[in-house]
Amino acid sequence: SQQGEEDPQALSIQEGENATMNCSYKTSINNLQWYRQNSGRGLVHLILIRSNEREKHSGRLRVTLDTSKKSSSLLITASRAADTASYFCATALIYNQGGKLIFGQGTELSVKP
Amino acid sequence: DADVTQTPRNRITKTGKRIMLECSQTKGHDRMYWYRQDPGLGLRLIYYSFDVKDINKGEISDGYSVSRQAQAKFSLSLESAIPNQTALYFCATSTQGAGELFFGEGSRLTVL
C-alpha cells in the first residue's frame, strides 16, 4: 500500500477560503515535502519540513507535521483561483537508501472565483 | 530555457515498439530520477541514478531500462512497449538524497 495517503482526494472551495489537505504515512521519515502540479505539467516543490520540525510557513502556505500520528497537513490561506492544482505529499524515509521520495496519490484542489 | 528538459513531450506508439525518453538537465545535479504518473496513483519511481556509474531500480522497474550517458543526461527505454505502459513520465533531479526534486515538464506516452 502507499506510504503516503492524502485526504481528501478532491476539494472544491470558493476564492478567499482556506484549503486544508492532509497526508498520512506509515514508516519513519527523514522529511516530508509538498509539491504542486498544474494540470499535465511537471511538479513544483512547495515546502519541506524535517522530522524534528512541527510547523513551517511559506507565504500563504502553512505545513504541520505530527510524527507521533504520522501525519502532515498543508493549509493554503486566502485561496485564489490560481491555486487550482493537484497537491502531493512526498516522504523521504529514514531507512530508504539514498533518501528517495515516495509520493502520495494527491489532492485535487479547485478554487472557484 | 527549462532546467530539466524532456523529449519527446508526447509520443504515440504501437505495442512491441522500442521507445526512448530522454532527459537532460542544466542544473549540475548528480542525482536523476524517472517517475511514472498514472491517474489516481500518484508518482511511482522507476529508476534512479546518483552519478554516471550508479544506477538503481525503483518500485516499478520491470519492462524499463535506463542509461546515464553523462552527468546531465538520463534516458529511459521501453524495450517492447505494452499498453499498460501508457502514462505520463517525469524526469527529476536533486542535489542530495531526501532533498527537493526538480521536475521536467513530462513526456506523455500512449501505447496502442
Side-chain angles (χ1 to χ4, degrees), chain B residues 2-28:
Chain B
D3 294 321
V4 183
T5 302
Q6 292 185 231
T7 56
R9 294 292 312 281
N10 289 283
R11 182 72 182 268
I12 300 173
T13 190
K14 294 182 178 179
T15 296
K17 294 291 187 181
R18 184 178 188 275
I19 295 296
M20 179 180 284
L21 306 179
E22 298 185 326
C23 177
S24 63
Q25 52 116 346
T26 58
K27 299 189 77 68

Side-chain angles (χ1 to χ4, degrees), chain A residues 1-112:
Chain A
S1 60
Q2 292 281 101
Q3 157 71 348
E5 295 190 0
E6 299 186 56
D7 171 61
Q9 291 187 342
L11 179 62
S12 182
I13 59 175
Q14 295 294 132
E15 212 165 24
E17 294 180 339
N18 295 342
T20 300
M21 289 159 266
N22 303 296
C23 172
S24 60
Y25 57 92
K26 294 180 170 60
T27 57
S28 297
I29 61 171
N30 176 296
N31 67 63
L32 186 145
Q33 303 177 31
W34 286 90
Y35 288 79
R36 167 191 167 128
Q37 182 183 31
N38 286 6
S39 181
R41 304 291 300 275
L43 280 74
V44 175
H45 182 265
L46 294 176
I47 198 165
L48 181 154
I49 187 164
R50 302 188 191 287
S51 60
N52 61 353
E53 297 176 310
R54 292 297 167 258
E55 187 171 314
K56 207 161 183 180
H57 296 256
S58 177
R60 293 183 296 113
L61 306 181
R62 172 178 170 252
V63 169
T64 60
L65 179 65
D66 187 334
T67 53
S68 66
K69 295 181 179 178
K70 291 187 170 56
S71 68
S72 174
S73 67
L74 170 67
L75 169 67
I76 303 174
T77 60
S79 64
R80 306 166 182 168
D83 293 328
T84 295
S86 292
Y87 292 83
F88 294 87
C89 69
T91 50
L93 307 184
I94 287 180
Y95 301 112
N96 191 322
Q97 182 187 18
K100 301 187 300 292
L101 293 185
I102 308 298
F103 284 82
Q105 295 149 315
T107 293
E108 278 192 39
L109 174 65
S110 174
V111 182
K112 300 183 178 178

Side-chain angles (χ1 to χ4, degrees), chain B residues 15-16 22 34 43-44 46 58 65 70 73 80 84 88 97 101 103:
Chain B
T15 296
E22 298 185 326
W34 275 105
L43 277 75
R44 292 180 291 169
I46 307 172
S65 62
K73 295 184 182 297
S80 179
N84 76 1
L88 185 55
L101 292 180
F103 283 84

Side-chain angles (χ1 to χ4, degrees), chain B residues 20-104:
Chain B
M20 179 180 284
L21 306 179
E22 298 185 326
C23 177
S24 63
Q25 52 116 346
T26 58
K27 299 189 77 68
H29 292 170
D30 287 327
R31 296 171 182 246
M32 299 187 73
Y33 307 79
W34 275 105
Y35 283 90
R36 165 180 173 158
Q37 184 177 34
D38 298 276
L41 293 180
L43 277 75
R44 292 180 291 169
L45 183 62
I46 307 172
Y47 270 97
Y48 61 102
S49 169
F50 291 163
D51 64 40
V52 174
K53 297 180 181 179
D54 179 79
I55 302 288
N56 304 280
K57 292 182 177 181
E59 306 169 66
I60 54 164
S61 58
D62 287 349
Y64 301 95
S65 62
V66 291
S67 173
R68 186 80 184 265
Q69 301 95 322
Q71 187 209 34
K73 295 184 182 297
F74 192 36
S75 300
L76 176 72
S77 293
L78 289 68
E79 295 301 324
S80 179
I82 56 176
N84 76 1
Q85 291 178 313
T86 292
L88 185 55
Y89 290 85
F90 287 103
C91 175
T93 71
S94 71
T95 58
Q96 58 185 343
E100 173 185 354
L101 292 180
F102 296 84
F103 283 84

